[in-house]
Amino acid sequence: MEDQSKTKQALIQELASLRQKIEELEQSESEWKNEKEELKKSEARFRSYFDLPYHGIAITSPEKGWIEVNDRLCSIMGYSRGEIVRMTWSEMTHPDDLAADLEQFNRVLSGQIEQYNMDKRFIRKCGKIIWTNLSVGCVRKSDGRVDHIIAVVEDITSVKLAEEAMRESEDQYRSLFDHSGDAILLTAPDGRILAANPEARRIFGRSEEEICRIGRAGLMDLTDPHLAAALEERARTGQFRGELTFVRKDGALFPGEISSAIFRDRDGNSKTSMIVRDITDRKRAEEALTRSEEKFRKAFYTSLDSVNINRLEDGMYISINPGFTRITGYTEGDIIGKTSIEYNVWGNIEDRQRLVAGLRKDGEVINLEATFRMKGGDIRYGLMSASVIDLNGVPHILSITRDITVRKRAEEALRRTEENFRRSLDESPLGVRIVSAAGETIYANWAILDIYGYDSLDELKATTVMKRYTSESFVEFQTRREKRKRGDYLPSDYKISIVRKDGVVRHLQVFRKEILWDGEAQFQVIYRDITDRKRAEEELQLTLESLRKAFGATIQVMVSAVEVRDPYTSGHQIRSADLARAIAMEMGLPQEKIDGIRMAGSIHDIGKLSIPAEILSKPTKLSEIEFSLIKEHAGKGFEMLKDVESPWPLAEIVYQHHERMDGSGYPRGLEGEEILIEARIMAVADVVEAMASHRPYRPGLGIDAALEEIEKNRGTFYDNAVADACLRLFREKGFQLEGARF
């Protein structure tokens, strides 16, 4: 490049000199005649330079513009002469180089420099960018003004591309050197380390300066005697590969895999590239693999499952474990060297064909169910997993088979059970549907079709719920569906009313629960037709209501009879019954007990029918004998009622209503929990009403006195909970006893 540049500069100077001589000859005719021959020679020499095929040449003038361009310049630019002379120099120049070119050109025009030389890019006619070496000079007139400008252009694109490729190659090499996962060292023939990449610095625990200061033996202070042999082999063959042990700066040893080769750089100097890979992890993996192989060997011989290795090509047995013998009955002496087909091991030869096809396709087979024939001829089931392994370059099958005979037989039994279950559902007298969470019918037996009056499951599915249900049941259905969506609790059984296909309304008892159906969570809905039962219940209810009314009328007759005998206590039983019922409700007792208390309270003094009327209506204080006769009314009432059929223990309530918690009552002296809760309530109500109301032998004492009595003897005579409920009714909730004095 330097020689070419000098040649171009000389050429420019020569051309400038020739043009100057031509100008001088033109100015002097006499001189021109004398030097005509010399001029012709100079012009011929100039033309020979101008037409050189190596450089593009252009001659321009500040006044005239383009004067001449040679063929080489047209070839470089890709334009014809006619096209070039119609263009400006700037139009062909790459925009990024235009400013620098103009700056140098102006310096030449101004006389600051004689000429300039620069690498410059042009744009060819086809649009391609080319690199050139441009040399520009000018020829001046005698007065110093510029007469001609001469530009010499050399195409150096290939040189530039080669330099760029070399630069990219060096960058790639540097990137590879810096980012390699292996340690790389560059050494001189005498063993000096010239460079070390980051990975080398990491694995040796030293800086690059420290590595470069250490001799080769110092860096690789090996724990084995193989270094000398390694260096000798490298000197003999120019390369070395092997495993050596290296030492880090802190003295720790590590195994390394080394490869080295001698090469020459672009200056021809001999160097060695040495790649060191830390194989500590690989060594550990190899050790782990060795341990794993030992574990495999132990697992092979101790596994309860059958493990065997067969040649893929023909199934010949290479090895079996004791599990194989335990399950099949074949020993190593029986089967090694023989094929599975020879011994007819496969219960179904198609199972082996499926196994081999899967192995050839995917290299492994997982959980293949197959049947096997034991040594004694019995058939057993196995679950086989197998993969292809390489043994000395020959493909073999490693298979593990678990005996699942018990499971298969259990599955078969389960399948028969499921068939029986399906048959029982189909033939069940109860309607059965299996529905999804979305309400889709998956299964329906004949009974449900009979209940609805449909001919097929499709007809049932095609009929909407609104059409199948009565309006009231459809509203209840919508409510249940919304609650299920919200996750609310719903009872597992409920009642619905449906409209059959023929329009008849039927009443059903429904039981719904979640079950597994074909392995998925679904709902089983069982329907029982309770239309006849419901009709019977309604008739029974009517009968019971009639009996209840009759029983009530009978009770009322009894009450009237007592009041006729004892007119002074008229209304006492009814008022006592009302108060007793209110106390029971305040205590939160069941409605059934409340009804019994009200009924018993209405007749609790029925035993007074056996007491002489003159004693019952005596206006003065009763004698001791008379009072003892009065006390007999509880027992007499029991005798009257004990044989009366009733849903409540009326006779016992009447018998116990004068008993007290501490056992001081009569007639039997019962205490505490021996007394029915109904009788305990009746006792409080009887005392409050009796004290608050008038009697023939005394005026009424009033509610306050009655409540003081209850409060005073709470827990002694009267049940705590009953007494508290009574006090709350009067003092907090405003209960009033009709006819009582306040």
Side-chain angles (χ1 to χ4, degrees):
M1 290 289 292
E2 184 177 356
D3 293 340
Q4 290 177 352
S5 178
K6 291 178 180 180
T7 301
K8 286 186 284 185
Q9 291 175 2
L11 178 60
I12 290 172
Q13 292 174 356
E14 181 69 18
L15 290 173
S17 176
L18 289 173
R19 293 300 300 179
Q20 186 173 5
K21 287 181 180 180
I22 292 171
E23 182 64 27
E24 290 174 355
L25 289 174
E26 288 177 348
Q27 292 176 3
S28 175
E29 184 177 358
S30 58
E31 291 177 1
W32 177 82
K33 290 179 180 180
N34 294 333
E35 297 179 359
K36 184 176 181 180
E37 291 300 325
E38 185 65 30
L39 180 59
K40 288 181 179 180
K41 295 178 181 179
S42 297
E43 285 180 343
R45 190 165 56 252
F46 169 75
R47 178 56 61 184
S48 66
Y49 285 133
F50 189 78
D51 292 334
L52 285 173
Y54 310 113
H55 301 93
I57 300 175
I59 302 175
T60 62
S61 169
E63 291 84 10
K64 300 177 182 179
W66 294 94
I67 296 177
E68 187 63 81
V69 295
N70 70 347
D71 292 338
R72 178 56 180 161
L73 183 64
C74 294
S75 175
I76 291 172
M77 298 301 180
Y79 293 100
S80 66
R81 282 187 178 83
E83 289 173 327
I84 288 179
V85 299
R86 288 194 298 271
M87 299 174 68
T88 65
W89 195 252
S90 299
E91 289 179 292
M92 293 183 289
T93 300
H94 191 282
D96 293 346
D97 294 339
L98 183 58
D101 189 15
L102 287 175
E103 180 184 358
Q104 295 297 324
F105 183 72
N106 289 330
R107 292 180 66 193
V108 170
L109 290 181
S110 64
Q112 296 180 35
I113 56 176
E114 291 294 328
Q115 61 182 37
Y116 69 90
N117 183 279
M118 66 180 294
D119 288 348
K120 174 183 173 181
R121 286 168 290 182
F122 284 99
I123 302 175
R124 286 172 54 86
K125 181 179 180 180
C126 63
K128 179 181 178 182
I129 298 172
I130 60 171
W131 277 96
T132 67
N133 182 260
L134 173 66
S135 296
V136 178
C138 64
V139 177
R140 298 182 181 276
K141 299 179 181 180
S142 58
D143 58 2
R145 290 182 297 116
V146 175
D147 184 39
H148 297 92
I149 302 163
I150 302 174
V152 179
V153 179
E154 180 186 2
D155 187 351
I156 61 170
T157 302
S158 60
V159 176
K160 283 288 187 179
L161 292 176
E163 291 176 351
E164 182 66 23
M166 183 177 293
R167 191 159 44 250
E168 290 180 358
S169 177
E170 290 178 349
D171 290 343
Q172 290 174 354
Y173 168 76
R174 172 52 62 181
S175 177
L176 177 64
F177 183 80
D178 289 339
H179 298 96
S180 173
D182 295 326
I184 302 177
L185 303 174
L186 298 182
T187 66
D190 60 1
R192 288 181 297 106
I193 298 175
L194 304 175
N197 73 340
E199 180 63 12
R201 300 196 290 269
R202 187 190 69 79
I203 68 171
F204 288 110
R206 302 173 187 267
S207 67
E208 187 172 21
E209 292 76 10
E210 289 176 319
I211 293 175
C212 291
R213 285 199 302 268
I214 298 174
R216 63 188 177 195
L219 177 62
M220 295 177 289
D221 185 9
L222 307 181
T223 58
D224 56 40
H226 297 146
L227 177 61
L231 296 176
E232 181 180 347
E233 181 177 348
R234 190 185 69 180
R236 179 172 55 82
T237 64
Q239 59 184 7
F240 169 72
R241 294 180 64 87
E243 293 183 5
L244 300 173
T245 303
F246 296 93
V247 61
R248 293 188 175 90
K249 182 179 180 179
D250 59 6
L253 303 177
F254 68 93
E257 185 178 65
I258 182 172
S259 62
S260 66
I262 298 174
F263 69 95
R264 295 188 181 276
D265 62 18
R266 59 183 177 180
D267 296 327
N269 299 319
S270 176
K271 292 183 179 178
T272 300
S273 65
M274 185 179 299
I275 300 177
V276 179
R277 176 174 295 173
D278 186 347
I279 58 172
T280 302
D281 292 339
R282 192 181 79 187
K283 285 293 186 182
R284 289 173 181 167
E286 289 174 353
E287 293 173 0
L289 180 60
T290 300
R291 292 193 298 271
S292 177
E293 289 176 346
E294 182 62 26
K295 289 180 181 178
F296 168 77
R297 183 173 298 279
K298 290 180 180 178
F300 182 85
Y301 285 106
T302 60
S303 173
L304 297 178
D305 294 331
S306 168
V307 185
N308 53 280
I309 300 174
N310 301 67
R311 198 161 58 193
L312 177 61
E313 178 184 0
D314 55 9
M316 187 179 76
Y317 286 96
I318 303 299
S319 180
I320 64 172
N321 76 332
F324 183 95
T325 301
R326 180 180 60 81
I327 294 173
T328 67
Y330 290 107
T331 65
E332 287 187 342
D334 293 332
I335 208 163
I336 297 302
K338 305 295 192 302
T339 68
S340 58
I341 297 176
E342 285 182 78
Y343 272 89
N344 197 22
V345 171
W346 295 94
N348 184 351
I349 195 62
E350 293 180 355
D351 291 338
R352 182 181 187 277
Q353 293 170 353
R354 289 190 294 131
L355 172 68
V356 174
L359 290 172
R360 293 190 187 279
K361 179 177 180 292
D362 301 320
E364 65 176 3
V365 171
I366 305 297
N367 294 337
L368 172 69
E369 287 192 9
T371 56
F372 299 94
R373 184 172 286 102
M374 303 298 101
K375 186 175 182 179
D378 293 339
I379 296 295
R380 300 189 72 82
Y381 297 91
L383 188 65
M384 173 182 288
S385 294
S387 60
V388 177
I389 61 174
D390 184 278
L391 294 180
N392 300 321
V394 178
H396 285 70
I397 304 171
L398 170 64
S399 61
I400 302 174
T401 305
R402 174 160 295 177
D403 187 350
I404 59 170
T405 304
V406 174
R407 193 192 80 186
K408 289 295 288 186
R409 289 172 180 168
E411 289 175 353
E412 182 63 28
L414 179 61
R415 187 160 43 251
R416 290 194 298 269
T417 301
E418 288 179 347
E419 289 175 357
N420 294 336
F421 170 71
R422 290 288 182 105
R423 191 177 302 111
S424 69
L425 288 183
D426 291 340
E427 299 174 1
S428 172
L430 300 178
V432 180
R433 287 173 66 221
I434 306 299
V435 298
S436 67
E440 178 186 0
T441 299
I442 299 172
Y443 165 86
N445 69 349
W446 289 110
I448 190 66
L449 297 178
D450 184 60
I451 289 172
Y452 276 98
Y454 294 117
D455 298 325
S456 66
L457 177 59
D458 291 337
E459 187 178 9
L460 176 65
K461 288 182 176 181
T463 307
T464 63
V465 176
M466 179 183 290
K467 189 174 180 180
R468 295 202 308 264
Y469 281 23
T470 63
S471 57
E472 295 82 359
S473 283
F474 181 69
V475 171
E476 294 170 354
F477 162 76
Q478 291 178 311
T479 301
R480 288 194 300 273
R481 183 172 59 184
E482 292 302 317
K483 287 183 176 180
R484 288 193 188 103
K485 288 181 180 179
R486 294 195 302 267
D488 295 347
Y489 167 77
L490 286 172
S492 59
D493 64 292
Y494 49 91
K495 294 181 176 66
I496 63 172
S497 298
I498 66 166
V499 181
R500 283 172 48 88
K501 182 180 179 180
D502 57 10
V504 175
V505 174
R506 304 291 291 181
H507 305 287
L508 307 179
Q509 179 83 31
V510 182
F511 302 90
R512 178 188 176 100
K513 67 176 181 178
E514 186 174 348
I515 64 169
L516 281 177
W517 184 269
D518 291 336
E520 295 185 13
Q522 310 290 2
F523 291 93
Q524 181 187 60
V525 187
I526 300 175
Y527 300 85
R528 174 182 292 166
D529 191 335
I530 59 171
T531 305
D532 295 338
R533 191 184 77 184
K534 186 175 179 64
R535 188 180 297 114
E537 287 176 351
E538 290 173 353
E539 292 174 356
L540 178 61
Q541 189 63 35
L542 291 174
T543 302
L544 289 175
E545 186 62 28
S546 178
L547 291 173
R548 187 183 296 273
K549 289 180 180 178
F551 188 78
T554 301
I555 294 297
Q556 187 59 45
V557 170
M558 293 180 179
V559 171
S560 298
V562 173
E563 290 182 348
V564 167
R565 292 291 310 280
D566 187 9
Y568 292 100
T569 60
S570 176
H572 164 68
Q573 292 184 115
I574 297 301
R575 289 194 295 272
S576 298
D578 288 342
L579 177 55
R581 180 176 60 178
I583 293 172
M585 292 176 64
E586 177 68 19
M587 293 175 67
L589 296 186
Q591 186 62 43
E592 188 68 18
K593 283 187 178 292
I594 294 173
D595 291 342
I597 289 171
R598 182 182 65 82
M599 193 65 68
S602 300
I603 57 170
H604 71 276
D605 282 339
I606 192 171
K608 289 183 179 180
L609 289 173
S610 64
I611 299 173
E614 58 271 18
I615 295 177
L616 293 175
S617 58
K618 183 179 180 179
T620 61
K621 186 175 180 180
L622 298 175
S623 67
E624 186 175 343
I625 295 175
E626 291 172 332
F627 184 66
S628 64
L629 289 175
I630 291 291
K631 291 169 66 175
E632 289 292 326
H633 78 279
K636 295 295 183 179
F638 173 75
E639 293 295 330
M640 292 178 182
L641 296 174
K642 67 180 182 179
D643 295 325
V644 175
E645 292 290 338
S646 168
W648 311 288
L650 298 178
E652 279 295 333
I653 297 172
V654 169
Y655 202 10
Q656 298 178 16
H657 78 277
H658 278 291
E659 301 286 354
R660 296 294 180 259
M661 297 297 290
D662 61 355
S664 61
Y666 65 86
R668 290 181 288 173
L670 301 178
E671 59 181 291
E673 296 296 323
E674 294 178 332
I675 308 170
L676 294 176
I677 184 63
E678 295 94 331
R680 284 179 253 164
I681 293 173
M682 201 63 246
V684 172
D686 185 45
V687 169
V688 171
E689 198 286 328
M691 291 184 67
S693 302
H694 293 284
R695 288 290 181 269
Y697 52 86
R698 62 158 175 82
L701 302 176
I703 285 295
D704 290 339
L707 296 180
E708 286 176 7
E709 162 65 19
I710 299 301
E711 187 172 31
K712 173 184 174 183
N713 293 298
R714 173 185 175 276
T716 304
F717 294 164
Y718 314 113
D719 181 273
N720 287 327
V722 177
D724 291 342
C726 178
L727 294 172
R728 282 197 306 273
L729 283 173
F730 284 98
R731 292 176 176 176
E732 299 178 15
K733 299 189 176 181
F735 183 83
Q736 293 185 2
L737 190 63
E738 183 180 354
R741 187 172 65 83
F742 291 87

